[in-house]
Amino acid sequence: TQLLEQSPQFLSIQEGENLTVYCNSSSVFSSLQWYRQEPGEGPVLLVTVVTGGEVKKLKRLTFQFGDARKDSSLHITAAQPGDTGLYLCARDTGNQFYFGTGTSLTVIP
Amino acid sequence: DAGITQSPRHKVTETGTPVTLRCHQTENHRYMYWYRQDPGHGLRLIHYSYGVKDTDKGEVSDGYSVSRSKTEDFLLTLESATSSQTSVYFCAISAGTVNYGYTFGSGTRLTVV
């Protein structure tokens, strides 16, 4: 089993706060993707990270790939209600991506 | 401008009946995937296709079959639906494997009663 653990499972914060969610694996992976899913819709790709230690920024979102390529984090600065959704990480397994169970984020206005 | 559409969006069916879900893409992508999403399990791969008539099993393929006779269409069939197959089903497409992102459809909510 290509286990991917995401934490926390649920997160509820006030608008304007900062937060970090995590994606961890016991094994090395060559690349990892982050998706956001809104209720009633399919996931939407946010970013792909491929190099250990890599940091990518997407407006207020900062993605980091661990040096050992076993973990990744997503940091959101000054969260807004529009950031509400399910955040999924996915690791490549050769022919397809294996998804974590996600972090459900609620940003309260 | 959706490059991928799933049909139907919602379906209720009875236990033991066959059900076919359709995924249609206009992107001419080589790879197509069927996932199911359930609380506590996340997205799990059912079957995928890497070309016309080329398919392979995923993590949870038992009770499901697929067909891809054209690049643009990928069909998922539940041969004899069971209550455990009540789920939200997502189709995804990709231009490649590693380093290429998935584009997901909006999902089909299937209820087996």
Side-chain angles (χ1 to χ4, degrees), chain A residues 1 9 30-31 33 35 37 40-45 48 50 86 88 92 94-101, chain B residues 9 31 33 35 37 40-43 45 48 56-57 59 90 97-107:
Chain A
T1 300
Q9 188 176 359
S30 60
S31 70
Q33 297 182 341
Y35 291 79
Q37 183 179 19
E41 296 297 327
V44 175
L45 178 68
T48 300
V50 298
L86 179 67
L88 296 159
D92 75 274
N95 290 327
Q96 71 274 154
F97 276 84
Y98 179 87
F99 285 80
T101 54
Chain B
R9 288 297 311 273
Y31 295 88
Y33 307 83
Y35 283 86
Q37 187 173 35
H41 291 281
L43 283 159
L45 182 65
Y48 65 101
D56 206 348
K57 295 179 179 181
E59 182 185 359
F90 287 99
T97 52
V98 178
N99 299 334
Y100 285 87
Y102 287 1
T103 300
F104 281 86
S106 297

Side-chain angles (χ1 to χ4, degrees), chain B residues 38-58:
Chain B
D38 305 286
H41 291 281
L43 283 159
R44 292 181 291 173
L45 182 65
I46 304 171
H47 282 279
Y48 65 101
S49 171
Y50 44 95
V52 174
K53 292 187 168 49
D54 290 325
T55 64
D56 206 348
K57 295 179 179 181

